[in-house]
Amino acid sequence: MSARDEILGRVRRALADADRSSPPVSRDYRVTPPDGADLVALFVERVTDYRATAVVVPDADVSAAVEAALAGRRPIVPDGLPWPVDGLADTGQAAAELDAVDAVVTGAALGIAETGTLVLDHGPGQGRRALSLVPDVHVCIVRADQLVYGVPQAVALLDPARPLTWVSGPSATSDIELDRVEGVHGPRTLHVVVADSFRA
Amino acid sequence: MTGTFVGMPAFPTAARDALADSQLRGNLARATGTIRAKRAAAVAEVPEWEALRAAGAAIKDDVLLHLEDYLVQLEASLTASGATVHWARDAAEACAIVAAVAKAHDADEVVKVKSMATQEIGLNEALAEAGIAAWETDLAELIVQLGDDLPSHILVPAIHRNRAEVREIFQRAMGTAGRPAPDGLTDEPAELAAAAREHLREKFLRAKVAVSGANFAVADSGTLVVVESEGNGRMCLTLPEVLVSVVGIEKVVPTWADLDVFLQLLPRSSTGERMNPYTSTWTGVTPGDGPQEVHVVLLDNGRTRALADQVGRQALRCIRCSACLNVCPVYSRTGGHAYGSVYPGPIGAILNPLLRGVGVDDQVDSLPYASSLCGACYDVCPVAIDIPSVLVELRSQVVDAHRGGLPGGEAAAMSAASWVFGRARRLAAAERVSGLTGRLATRLARRLPGPASAWTDARDLPTPPRESFRAWWRRTGGGGDA
Ligand code: SF4
């Protein structure tokens, strides 16, 4: 018998006497976000809690804010980024070549205010996964209208068929005496630029 | 990891040694105390926490009760998205599948994301025998591997090591596995992390094959999820050409939408953060992005045995957050090694006997006794596993197994004790009868006969005081060395 058939047979036998009427799953936890919550302010507060930086600028000033965050580093820039940023194009560089690049600038699929999380679905303007991973500085631009309140709203919008990377602050470890250290293998520095024309 | 848990002494002996190690106790008390406080704050921020817990438990129960359907659905979704699905009855079969994939690509090394399932099956040792080096890339796992040591905590496996020890391990062993530690390395955690970054980077950049586990496997979409902090997971899941993920069959969740429960429960329970730094999800192969050959090994290795246990089945809801370890008065004094398994603490005390069966190994049989049944683990568990009740059930199974089919006095006494302990725990949780707990337990403990079997050997705890353990713990903070 194949391993598959044997395991499925074991599962069947294990549950032969079980009462299989599953209790219904209550979705009470999907609470309505607080009325009139200032998502931009909450998002910025939560992002900075992770020791990332965050600035809010009008759309027209995004390129300048990105330049300031880069502080002279020359980034790699994926195709389709809606804001003009000077840098290297993605020509399919191997990982070792990306390792020689100082920074990366990407957009995002959405941001989660409650947890200060950016989600990349690696579509246009975000690049393949390696781009936002190997360079040591990540500048990520998210529009204010891409922010949602919490995790349930984010999961509902995201497409599981795409590879997703959820980023909450720079890479970190607490593996040595539970002392938090920012920066291990992922980008050690994360700068977030929120484009919000209505606010600024 | 070249160390092994096989042949470990039963819990009481190992625990006695661990308790005598004051350095270990100090490290543990500080560490578990810190995470406990962080978790409590992260959970208190979420008013709907109890609703999330109830949903997490209900979703997992639904999965377990219809596991066959969900596994078949998962297999179909994975296959449709370009992944190759393998099934492994046991550890040996799973290890052989991973080794065969690596060999097919002429790989003599793989990079690994921290994964409980691959530790459980002893993958590193099996790959070493096949001539393949398995590099652990999580910082704590790297410390454990280079130190030729054993993990002692699910989330922070090197929790028993302090910074000076880590520095010494890096200086001594990094050079034997690749890039040596930099000269003049101090014991600052930031410097130690930077040394790990340098050491591992060359491995990430050249590895052809990566091995991971998965925190969740979504049946309706065929998506796997890895939750991590350091970015080593992203490196392994993104850069190599080939990815093999070893996934326990209980890791299934029905739908993509169900992740909105678990991606809230897990980070807050585990590291006590609103969200962990990185979560990666992938669905089979994405052309031009990440591994172009994706394998998934669905692993039984005792899970169907646990599934058949009507009381114990709920242990398969576990999302390995480790919150129950950090609140456990026994774990936070003895540490993880005393449990003799990759799954320590309260969850280990039930999961090991459930996966491996009772009456076979004295070490495993002693684990259901490594508890005061105080119930703190149940209170913090994000999927509401009633660990104390499962412990009580397993104690009676251990007793049954040891009386060799003959009804014995010990068995009867222990079954009665189990019932009373289980009952007493529920009463104590209400904190109305703290004195009664002690009195009942005293009477029962005196009635139990001599050291004829593993379980009596395992009874190393003193006669319970009249004050309930829980009440004492609350009052004293556990004796004050935290
Ligand atoms: S039993 Fe519950 S608390 Fe313990 S590790 Fe599993 S999910 Fe976490």
Side-chain angles (χ1 to χ4, degrees), chain B residues 154 266 269 315 317-325 346-348 350 377-378 380-385 387:
Chain B
I154 293 176
L266 182 53
S269 299
R317 293 183 203 148
C318 174
I319 57 173
R320 312 277 189 264
C321 73
S322 72
C324 59
L325 277 59
I347 182 61
I350 61 173
C377 48
Y378 184 19
V380 296
C381 178
V383 285
I385 300 171
I387 294 176

mmCIF file with all atom_site columns, all heavy atoms in Angstrom, chain B residues 154 266 269 315 317-325 346-348 350 377-378 380-385 387, ligand 1:
data_model
loop_
_atom_site.group_PDB
_atom_site.id
_atom_site.type_symbol
_atom_site.label_atom_id
_atom_site.label_alt_id
_atom_site.label_comp_id
_atom_site.label_asym_id
_atom_site.label_entity_id
_atom_site.label_seq_id
_atom_site.pdbx_PDB_ins_code
_atom_site.Cartn_x
_atom_site.Cartn_y
_atom_site.Cartn_z
_atom_site.occupancy
_atom_site.B_iso_or_equiv
_atom_site.pdbx_formal_charge
_atom_site.auth_seq_id
_atom_site.auth_comp_id
_atom_site.auth_asym_id
_atom_site.auth_atom_id
_atom_site.pdbx_PDB_model_num
ATOM   1   N  N   . ILE B 1 154 ? 10.997  25.688 22.458 1.00 0.00 ? 154 ILE B N   1
ATOM   2   C  CA  . ILE B 1 154 ? 10.476  25.634 21.098 1.00 0.00 ? 154 ILE B CA  1
ATOM   3   C  C   . ILE B 1 154 ? 10.820  26.911 20.334 1.00 0.00 ? 154 ILE B C   1
ATOM   4   O  O   . ILE B 1 154 ? 11.226  26.886 19.181 1.00 0.00 ? 154 ILE B O   1
ATOM   5   C  CB  . ILE B 1 154 ? 8.940   25.417 21.118 1.00 0.00 ? 154 ILE B CB  1
ATOM   6   C  CG1 . ILE B 1 154 ? 8.617   24.021 21.657 1.00 0.00 ? 154 ILE B CG1 1
ATOM   7   C  CG2 . ILE B 1 154 ? 8.346   25.608 19.734 1.00 0.00 ? 154 ILE B CG2 1
ATOM   8   C  CD1 . ILE B 1 154 ? 7.129   23.748 21.817 1.00 0.00 ? 154 ILE B CD1 1
ATOM   9   N  N   . LEU B 1 266 ? -0.786  33.578 16.855 1.00 0.00 ? 266 LEU B N   1
ATOM   10  C  CA  . LEU B 1 266 ? 0.583   33.054 16.976 1.00 0.00 ? 266 LEU B CA  1
ATOM   11  C  C   . LEU B 1 266 ? 1.615   34.099 17.425 1.00 0.00 ? 266 LEU B C   1
ATOM   12  O  O   . LEU B 1 266 ? 2.309   33.882 18.416 1.00 0.00 ? 266 LEU B O   1
ATOM   13  C  CB  . LEU B 1 266 ? 0.999   32.349 15.680 1.00 0.00 ? 266 LEU B CB  1
ATOM   14  C  CG  . LEU B 1 266 ? 2.385   31.702 15.671 1.00 0.00 ? 266 LEU B CG  1
ATOM   15  C  CD1 . LEU B 1 266 ? 2.576   30.764 16.850 1.00 0.00 ? 266 LEU B CD1 1
ATOM   16  C  CD2 . LEU B 1 266 ? 2.630   30.947 14.363 1.00 0.00 ? 266 LEU B CD2 1
ATOM   17  N  N   . SER B 1 269 ? 1.132   35.266 21.062 1.00 0.00 ? 269 SER B N   1
ATOM   18  C  CA  . SER B 1 269 ? 1.363   34.217 22.059 1.00 0.00 ? 269 SER B CA  1
ATOM   19  C  C   . SER B 1 269 ? 2.820   33.791 22.119 1.00 0.00 ? 269 SER B C   1
ATOM   20  O  O   . SER B 1 269 ? 3.310   33.346 23.143 1.00 0.00 ? 269 SER B O   1
ATOM   21  C  CB  . SER B 1 269 ? 0.541   32.964 21.720 1.00 0.00 ? 269 SER B CB  1
ATOM   22  O  OG  . SER B 1 269 ? -0.825  33.248 21.720 1.00 0.00 ? 269 SER B OG  1
ATOM   23  N  N   . ALA B 1 315 ? -4.423  17.808 21.399 1.00 0.00 ? 315 ALA B N   1
ATOM   24  C  CA  . ALA B 1 315 ? -3.016  18.249 21.376 1.00 0.00 ? 315 ALA B CA  1
ATOM   25  C  C   . ALA B 1 315 ? -2.573  18.578 19.947 1.00 0.00 ? 315 ALA B C   1
ATOM   26  O  O   . ALA B 1 315 ? -1.627  19.341 19.740 1.00 0.00 ? 315 ALA B O   1
ATOM   27  C  CB  . ALA B 1 315 ? -2.109  17.179 21.973 1.00 0.00 ? 315 ALA B CB  1
ATOM   28  N  N   . ARG B 1 317 ? -4.086  20.356 17.930 1.00 0.00 ? 317 ARG B N   1
ATOM   29  C  CA  . ARG B 1 317 ? -4.387  21.749 17.580 1.00 0.00 ? 317 ARG B CA  1
ATOM   30  C  C   . ARG B 1 317 ? -3.148  22.641 17.710 1.00 0.00 ? 317 ARG B C   1
ATOM   31  O  O   . ARG B 1 317 ? -3.125  23.747 17.204 1.00 0.00 ? 317 ARG B O   1
ATOM   32  C  CB  . ARG B 1 317 ? -5.411  22.338 18.554 1.00 0.00 ? 317 ARG B CB  1
ATOM   33  C  CG  . ARG B 1 317 ? -6.788  21.793 18.526 1.00 0.00 ? 317 ARG B CG  1
ATOM   34  C  CD  . ARG B 1 317 ? -7.599  22.622 19.539 1.00 0.00 ? 317 ARG B CD  1
ATOM   35  N  NE  . ARG B 1 317 ? -8.756  21.927 20.032 1.00 0.00 ? 317 ARG B NE  1
ATOM   36  C  CZ  . ARG B 1 317 ? -9.246  22.082 21.271 1.00 0.00 ? 317 ARG B CZ  1
ATOM   37  N  NH1 . ARG B 1 317 ? -8.656  22.887 22.132 1.00 0.00 ? 317 ARG B NH1 1
ATOM   38  N  NH2 . ARG B 1 317 ? -10.313 21.427 21.644 1.00 0.00 ? 317 ARG B NH2 1
ATOM   39  N  N   . CYS B 1 318 ? -2.162  22.176 18.451 1.00 0.00 ? 318 CYS B N   1
ATOM   40  C  CA  . CYS B 1 318 ? -1.026  23.007 18.876 1.00 0.00 ? 318 CYS B CA  1
ATOM   41  C  C   . CYS B 1 318 ? -0.377  23.743 17.707 1.00 0.00 ? 318 CYS B C   1
ATOM   42  O  O   . CYS B 1 318 ? -0.075  23.162 16.673 1.00 0.00 ? 318 CYS B O   1
ATOM   43  C  CB  . CYS B 1 318 ? 0.013   22.140 19.574 1.00 0.00 ? 318 CYS B CB  1
ATOM   44  S  SG  . CYS B 1 318 ? 1.519   23.025 19.999 1.00 0.00 ? 318 CYS B SG  1
ATOM   45  N  N   . ILE B 1 319 ? -0.171  25.048 17.875 1.00 0.00 ? 319 ILE B N   1
ATOM   46  C  CA  . ILE B 1 319 ? 0.505   25.846 16.847 1.00 0.00 ? 319 ILE B CA  1
ATOM   47  C  C   . ILE B 1 319 ? 1.941   26.182 17.263 1.00 0.00 ? 319 ILE B C   1
ATOM   48  O  O   . ILE B 1 319 ? 2.582   27.064 16.674 1.00 0.00 ? 319 ILE B O   1
ATOM   49  C  CB  . ILE B 1 319 ? -0.282  27.126 16.490 1.00 0.00 ? 319 ILE B CB  1
ATOM   50  C  CG1 . ILE B 1 319 ? -0.542  27.998 17.727 1.00 0.00 ? 319 ILE B CG1 1
ATOM   51  C  CG2 . ILE B 1 319 ? -1.616  26.762 15.826 1.00 0.00 ? 319 ILE B CG2 1
ATOM   52  C  CD1 . ILE B 1 319 ? -1.166  29.356 17.404 1.00 0.00 ? 319 ILE B CD1 1
ATOM   53  N  N   . ARG B 1 320 ? 2.455   25.471 18.267 1.00 0.00 ? 320 ARG B N   1
ATOM   54  C  CA  . ARG B 1 320 ? 3.871   25.573 18.681 1.00 0.00 ? 320 ARG B CA  1
ATOM   55  C  C   . ARG B 1 320 ? 4.290   26.997 19.034 1.00 0.00 ? 320 ARG B C   1
ATOM   56  O  O   . ARG B 1 320 ? 5.363   27.454 18.620 1.00 0.00 ? 320 ARG B O   1
ATOM   57  C  CB  . ARG B 1 320 ? 4.802   25.069 17.563 1.00 0.00 ? 320 ARG B CB  1
ATOM   58  C  CG  . ARG B 1 320 ? 4.415   23.736 16.961 1.00 0.00 ? 320 ARG B CG  1
ATOM   59  C  CD  . ARG B 1 320 ? 4.912   22.565 17.766 1.00 0.00 ? 320 ARG B CD  1
ATOM   60  N  NE  . ARG B 1 320 ? 4.700   21.330 17.030 1.00 0.00 ? 320 ARG B NE  1
ATOM   61  C  CZ  . ARG B 1 320 ? 3.650   20.520 17.186 1.00 0.00 ? 320 ARG B CZ  1
ATOM   62  N  NH1 . ARG B 1 320 ? 2.723   20.797 18.087 1.00 0.00 ? 320 ARG B NH1 1
ATOM   63  N  NH2 . ARG B 1 320 ? 3.559   19.409 16.475 1.00 0.00 ? 320 ARG B NH2 1
ATOM   64  N  N   . CYS B 1 321 ? 3.456   27.680 19.790 1.00 0.00 ? 321 CYS B N   1
ATOM   65  C  CA  . CYS B 1 321 ? 3.794   29.063 20.142 1.00 0.00 ? 321 CYS B CA  1
ATOM   66  C  C   . CYS B 1 321 ? 4.745   29.118 21.320 1.00 0.00 ? 321 CYS B C   1
ATOM   67  O  O   . CYS B 1 321 ? 5.430   30.110 21.520 1.00 0.00 ? 321 CYS B O   1
ATOM   68  C  CB  . CYS B 1 321 ? 2.526   29.833 20.461 1.00 0.00 ? 321 CYS B CB  1
ATOM   69  S  SG  . CYS B 1 321 ? 1.786   29.375 22.045 1.00 0.00 ? 321 CYS B SG  1
ATOM   70  N  N   . SER B 1 322 ? 4.741   28.089 22.152 1.00 0.00 ? 322 SER B N   1
ATOM   71  C  CA  . SER B 1 322 ? 5.581   27.950 23.341 1.00 0.00 ? 322 SER B CA  1
ATOM   72  C  C   . SER B 1 322 ? 5.122   28.768 24.543 1.00 0.00 ? 322 SER B C   1
ATOM   73  O  O   . SER B 1 322 ? 5.825   28.824 25.547 1.00 0.00 ? 322 SER B O   1
ATOM   74  C  CB  . SER B 1 322 ? 7.067   28.208 23.051 1.00 0.00 ? 322 SER B CB  1
ATOM   75  O  OG  . SER B 1 322 ? 7.322   29.561 22.819 1.00 0.00 ? 322 SER B OG  1
ATOM   76  N  N   . ALA B 1 323 ? 3.949   29.364 24.478 1.00 0.00 ? 323 ALA B N   1
ATOM   77  C  CA  . ALA B 1 323 ? 3.456   30.115 25.645 1.00 0.00 ? 323 ALA B CA  1
ATOM   78  C  C   . ALA B 1 323 ? 3.324   29.208 26.870 1.00 0.00 ? 323 ALA B C   1
ATOM   79  O  O   . ALA B 1 323 ? 3.583   29.627 27.994 1.00 0.00 ? 323 ALA B O   1
ATOM   80  C  CB  . ALA B 1 323 ? 2.102   30.763 25.324 1.00 0.00 ? 323 ALA B CB  1
ATOM   81  N  N   . CYS B 1 324 ? 2.936   27.954 26.639 1.00 0.00 ? 324 CYS B N   1
ATOM   82  C  CA  . CYS B 1 324 ? 2.737   27.062 27.789 1.00 0.00 ? 324 CYS B CA  1
ATOM   83  C  C   . CYS B 1 324 ? 4.058   26.736 28.490 1.00 0.00 ? 324 CYS B C   1
ATOM   84  O  O   . CYS B 1 324 ? 4.082   26.476 29.695 1.00 0.00 ? 324 CYS B O   1
ATOM   85  C  CB  . CYS B 1 324 ? 1.999   25.783 27.374 1.00 0.00 ? 324 CYS B CB  1
ATOM   86  S  SG  . CYS B 1 324 ? 2.835   24.803 26.114 1.00 0.00 ? 324 CYS B SG  1
ATOM   87  N  N   . LEU B 1 325 ? 5.158   26.754 27.752 1.00 0.00 ? 325 LEU B N   1
ATOM   88  C  CA  . LEU B 1 325 ? 6.461   26.513 28.391 1.00 0.00 ? 325 LEU B CA  1
ATOM   89  C  C   . LEU B 1 325 ? 6.775   27.653 29.359 1.00 0.00 ? 325 LEU B C   1
ATOM   90  O  O   . LEU B 1 325 ? 7.202   27.424 30.496 1.00 0.00 ? 325 LEU B O   1
ATOM   91  C  CB  . LEU B 1 325 ? 7.580   26.467 27.351 1.00 0.00 ? 325 LEU B CB  1
ATOM   92  C  CG  . LEU B 1 325 ? 7.866   25.181 26.582 1.00 0.00 ? 325 LEU B CG  1
ATOM   93  C  CD1 . LEU B 1 325 ? 6.667   24.704 25.808 1.00 0.00 ? 325 LEU B CD1 1
ATOM   94  C  CD2 . LEU B 1 325 ? 9.058   25.381 25.657 1.00 0.00 ? 325 LEU B CD2 1
ATOM   95  N  N   . PRO B 1 346 ? 4.869   21.722 28.961 1.00 0.00 ? 346 PRO B N   1
ATOM   96  C  CA  . PRO B 1 346 ? 3.543   21.096 29.061 1.00 0.00 ? 346 PRO B CA  1
ATOM   97  C  C   . PRO B 1 346 ? 3.099   20.419 27.763 1.00 0.00 ? 346 PRO B C   1
ATOM   98  O  O   . PRO B 1 346 ? 2.578   19.302 27.791 1.00 0.00 ? 346 PRO B O   1
ATOM   99  C  CB  . PRO B 1 346 ? 2.637   22.274 29.411 1.00 0.00 ? 346 PRO B CB  1
ATOM   100 C  CG  . PRO B 1 346 ? 3.532   23.216 30.156 1.00 0.00 ? 346 PRO B CG  1
ATOM   101 C  CD  . PRO B 1 346 ? 4.866   23.105 29.488 1.00 0.00 ? 346 PRO B CD  1
ATOM   102 N  N   . ILE B 1 347 ? 3.314   21.071 26.625 1.00 0.00 ? 347 ILE B N   1
ATOM   103 C  CA  . ILE B 1 347 ? 2.879   20.438 25.373 1.00 0.00 ? 347 ILE B CA  1
ATOM   104 C  C   . ILE B 1 347 ? 3.688   19.170 25.127 1.00 0.00 ? 347 ILE B C   1
ATOM   105 O  O   . ILE B 1 347 ? 3.149   18.147 24.684 1.00 0.00 ? 347 ILE B O   1
ATOM   106 C  CB  . ILE B 1 347 ? 2.950   21.414 24.173 1.00 0.00 ? 347 ILE B CB  1
ATOM   107 C  CG1 . ILE B 1 347 ? 2.442   20.745 22.886 1.00 0.00 ? 347 ILE B CG1 1
ATOM   108 C  CG2 . ILE B 1 347 ? 4.353   21.961 23.929 1.00 0.00 ? 347 ILE B CG2 1
ATOM   109 C  CD1 . ILE B 1 347 ? 0.996   20.281 22.925 1.00 0.00 ? 347 ILE B CD1 1
ATOM   110 N  N   . GLY B 1 348 ? 4.982   19.206 25.471 1.00 0.00 ? 348 GLY B N   1
ATOM   111 C  CA  . GLY B 1 348 ? 5.805   18.009 25.296 1.00 0.00 ? 348 GLY B CA  1
ATOM   112 C  C   . GLY B 1 348 ? 5.358   16.875 26.205 1.00 0.00 ? 348 GLY B C   1
ATOM   113 O  O   . GLY B 1 348 ? 5.406   15.704 25.819 1.00 0.00 ? 348 GLY B O   1
ATOM   114 N  N   . ILE B 1 350 ? 2.486   16.047 26.963 1.00 0.00 ? 350 ILE B N   1
ATOM   115 C  CA  . ILE B 1 350 ? 1.368   15.281 26.388 1.00 0.00 ? 350 ILE B CA  1
ATOM   116 C  C   . ILE B 1 350 ? 1.660   14.806 24.966 1.00 0.00 ? 350 ILE B C   1
ATOM   117 O  O   . ILE B 1 350 ? 1.276   13.717 24.583 1.00 0.00 ? 350 ILE B O   1
ATOM   118 C  CB  . ILE B 1 350 ? 0.016   16.047 26.444 1.00 0.00 ? 350 ILE B CB  1
ATOM   119 C  CG1 . ILE B 1 350 ? 0.060   17.360 25.663 1.00 0.00 ? 350 ILE B CG1 1
ATOM   120 C  CG2 . ILE B 1 350 ? -0.389  16.305 27.886 1.00 0.00 ? 350 ILE B CG2 1
ATOM   121 C  CD1 . ILE B 1 350 ? -1.311  18.057 25.560 1.00 0.00 ? 350 ILE B CD1 1
ATOM   122 N  N   . CYS B 1 377 ? -0.930  26.499 31.824 1.00 0.00 ? 377 CYS B N   1
ATOM   123 C  CA  . CYS B 1 377 ? -0.735  26.240 30.387 1.00 0.00 ? 377 CYS B CA  1
ATOM   124 C  C   . CYS B 1 377 ? -2.047  26.341 29.621 1.00 0.00 ? 377 CYS B C   1
ATOM   125 O  O   . CYS B 1 377 ? -2.096  26.882 28.515 1.00 0.00 ? 377 CYS B O   1
ATOM   126 C  CB  . CYS B 1 377 ? -0.090  24.866 30.181 1.00 0.00 ? 377 CYS B CB  1
ATOM   127 S  SG  . CYS B 1 377 ? -0.874  23.527 31.110 1.00 0.00 ? 377 CYS B SG  1
ATOM   128 N  N   . TYR B 1 378 ? -3.096  25.815 30.221 1.00 0.00 ? 378 TYR B N   1
ATOM   129 C  CA  . TYR B 1 378 ? -4.418  25.857 29.581 1.00 0.00 ? 378 TYR B CA  1
ATOM   130 C  C   . TYR B 1 378 ? -4.858  27.313 29.413 1.00 0.00 ? 378 TYR B C   1
ATOM   131 O  O   . TYR B 1 378 ? -5.354  27.726 28.364 1.00 0.00 ? 378 TYR B O   1
ATOM   132 C  CB  . TYR B 1 378 ? -5.386  25.079 30.464 1.00 0.00 ? 378 TYR B CB  1
ATOM   133 C  CG  . TYR B 1 378 ? -6.799  24.918 29.953 1.00 0.00 ? 378 TYR B CG  1
ATOM   134 C  CD1 . TYR B 1 378 ? -7.129  25.088 28.617 1.00 0.00 ? 378 TYR B CD1 1
ATOM   135 C  CD2 . TYR B 1 378 ? -7.818  24.557 30.838 1.00 0.00 ? 378 TYR B CD2 1
ATOM   136 C  CE1 . TYR B 1 378 ? -8.432  24.913 28.180 1.00 0.00 ? 378 TYR B CE1 1
ATOM   137 C  CE2 . TYR B 1 378 ? -9.123  24.385 30.409 1.00 0.00 ? 378 TYR B CE2 1
ATOM   138 C  CZ  . TYR B 1 378 ? -9.424  24.574 29.079 1.00 0.00 ? 378 TYR B CZ  1
ATOM   139 O  OH  . TYR B 1 378 ? -10.713 24.402 28.643 1.00 0.00 ? 378 TYR B OH  1
ATOM   140 N  N   . VAL B 1 380 ? -3.144  30.035 29.010 1.00 0.00 ? 380 VAL B N   1
ATOM   141 C  CA  . VAL B 1 380 ? -2.468  30.842 27.985 1.00 0.00 ? 380 VAL B CA  1
ATOM   142 C  C   . VAL B 1 380 ? -2.564  30.239 26.593 1.00 0.00 ? 380 VAL B C   1
ATOM   143 O  O   . VAL B 1 380 ? -2.283  30.921 25.613 1.00 0.00 ? 380 VAL B O   1
ATOM   144 C  CB  . VAL B 1 380 ? -0.962  31.064 28.289 1.00 0.00 ? 380 VAL B CB  1
ATOM   145 C  CG1 . VAL B 1 380 ? -0.783  31.866 29.569 1.00 0.00 ? 380 VAL B CG1 1
ATOM   146 C  CG2 . VAL B 1 380 ? -0.206  29.751 28.325 1.00 0.00 ? 380 VAL B CG2 1
ATOM   147 N  N   . CYS B 1 381 ? -2.943  28.990 26.475 1.00 0.00 ? 381 CYS B N   1
ATOM   148 C  CA  . CYS B 1 381 ? -2.886  28.331 25.165 1.00 0.00 ? 381 CYS B CA  1
ATOM   149 C  C   . CYS B 1 381 ? -3.817  29.020 24.166 1.00 0.00 ? 381 CYS B C   1
ATOM   150 O  O   . CYS B 1 381 ? -5.016  29.124 24.389 1.00 0.00 ? 381 CYS B O   1
ATOM   151 C  CB  . CYS B 1 381 ? -3.257  26.856 25.288 1.00 0.00 ? 381 CYS B CB  1
ATOM   152 S  SG  . CYS B 1 381 ? -3.235  26.038 23.678 1.00 0.00 ? 381 CYS B SG  1
ATOM   153 N  N   . PRO B 1 382 ? -3.282  29.483 23.037 1.00 0.00 ? 382 PRO B N   1
ATOM   154 C  CA  . PRO B 1 382 ? -4.096  30.223 22.077 1.00 0.00 ? 382 PRO B CA  1
ATOM   155 C  C   . PRO B 1 382 ? -5.135  29.351 21.367 1.00 0.00 ? 382 PRO B C   1
ATOM   156 O  O   . PRO B 1 382 ? -6.049  29.885 20.759 1.00 0.00 ? 382 PRO B O   1
ATOM   157 C  CB  . PRO B 1 382 ? -3.071  30.772 21.080 1.00 0.00 ? 382 PRO B CB  1
ATOM   158 C  CG  . PRO B 1 382 ? -1.903  29.855 21.187 1.00 0.00 ? 382 PRO B CG  1
ATOM   159 C  CD  . PRO B 1 382 ? -1.863  29.418 22.617 1.00 0.00 ? 382 PRO B CD  1
ATOM   160 N  N   . VAL B 1 383 ? -4.987  28.039 21.436 1.00 0.00 ? 383 VAL B N   1
ATOM   161 C  CA  . VAL B 1 383 ? -6.008  27.179 20.852 1.00 0.00 ? 383 VAL B CA  1
ATOM   162 C  C   . VAL B 1 383 ? -6.685  26.337 21.936 1.00 0.00 ? 383 VAL B C   1
ATOM   163 O  O   . VAL B 1 383 ? -7.289  25.297 21.659 1.00 0.00 ? 383 VAL B O   1
ATOM   164 C  CB  . VAL B 1 383 ? -5.438  26.285 19.724 1.00 0.00 ? 383 VAL B CB  1
ATOM   165 C  CG1 . VAL B 1 383 ? -5.198  27.112 18.462 1.00 0.00 ? 383 VAL B CG1 1
ATOM   166 C  CG2 . VAL B 1 383 ? -4.153  25.607 20.153 1.00 0.00 ? 383 VAL B CG2 1
ATOM   167 N  N   . ALA B 1 384 ? -6.570  26.821 23.183 1.00 0.00 ? 384 ALA B N   1
ATOM   168 C  CA  . ALA B 1 384 ? -7.328  26.289 24.315 1.00 0.00 ? 384 ALA B CA  1
ATOM   169 C  C   . ALA B 1 384 ? -7.194  24.776 24.490 1.00 0.00 ? 384 ALA B C   1
ATOM   170 O  O   . ALA B 1 384 ? -8.190  24.079 24.725 1.00 0.00 ? 384 ALA B O   1
ATOM   171 C  CB  . ALA B 1 384 ? -8.802  26.690 24.204 1.00 0.00 ? 384 ALA B CB  1
ATOM   172 N  N   . ILE B 1 385 ? -5.986  24.275 24.392 1.00 0.00 ? 385 ILE B N   1
ATOM   173 C  CA  . ILE B 1 385 ? -5.774  22.852 24.663 1.00 0.00 ? 385 ILE B CA  1
ATOM   174 C  C   . ILE B 1 385 ? -5.818  22.644 26.176 1.00 0.00 ? 385 ILE B C   1
ATOM   175 O  O   . ILE B 1 385 ? -5.077  23.295 26.920 1.00 0.00 ? 385 ILE B O   1
ATOM   176 C  CB  . ILE B 1 385 ? -4.421  22.375 24.097 1.00 0.00 ? 385 ILE B CB  1
ATOM   177 C  CG1 . ILE B 1 385 ? -4.379  22.581 22.585 1.00 0.00 ? 385 ILE B CG1 1
ATOM   178 C  CG2 . ILE B 1 385 ? -4.186  20.897 24.435 1.00 0.00 ? 385 ILE B CG2 1
ATOM   179 C  CD1 . ILE B 1 385 ? -3.008  22.342 21.967 1.00 0.00 ? 385 ILE B CD1 1
ATOM   180 N  N   . ILE B 1 387 ? -4.516  21.000 28.562 1.00 0.00 ? 387 ILE B N   1
ATOM   181 C  CA  . ILE B 1 387 ? -3.353  20.148 28.824 1.00 0.00 ? 387 ILE B CA  1
ATOM   182 C  C   . ILE B 1 387 ? -3.510  19.360 30.138 1.00 0.00 ? 387 ILE B C   1
ATOM   183 O  O   . ILE B 1 387 ? -3.228  18.162 30.172 1.00 0.00 ? 387 ILE B O   1
ATOM   184 C  CB  . ILE B 1 387 ? -2.046  20.988 28.795 1.00 0.00 ? 387 ILE B CB  1
ATOM   185 C  CG1 . ILE B 1 387 ? -1.821  21.507 27.366 1.00 0.00 ? 387 ILE B CG1 1
ATOM   186 C  CG2 . ILE B 1 387 ? -0.843  20.172 29.257 1.00 0.00 ? 387 ILE B CG2 1
ATOM   187 C  CD1 . ILE B 1 387 ? -0.618  22.422 27.215 1.00 0.00 ? 387 ILE B CD1 1
HETATM 188 S  S1  . SF4 C 2 .   ? 0.044   23.725 23.589 1.00 0.00 ? 1   SF4 C S1  1
HETATM 189 FE FE1 . SF4 C 2 .   ? -0.888  25.721 23.249 1.00 0.00 ? 1   SF4 C FE1 1
HETATM 190 S  S2  . SF4 C 2 .   ? 0.414   27.121 24.445 1.00 0.00 ? 1   SF4 C S2  1
HETATM 191 FE FE2 . SF4 C 2 .   ? 1.591   25.204 24.217 1.00 0.00 ? 1   SF4 C FE2 1
HETATM 192 S  S3  . SF4 C 2 .   ? 2.862   25.503 22.395 1.00 0.00 ? 1   SF4 C S3  1
HETATM 193 FE FE3 . SF4 C 2 .   ? 0.963   24.508 21.721 1.00 0.00 ? 1   SF4 C FE3 1
HETATM 194 S  S4  . SF4 C 2 .   ? -0.382  26.181 21.106 1.00 0.00 ? 1   SF4 C S4  1
HETATM 195 FE FE4 . SF4 C 2 .   ? 1.235   27.093 22.351 1.00 0.00 ? 1   SF4 C FE4 1
#
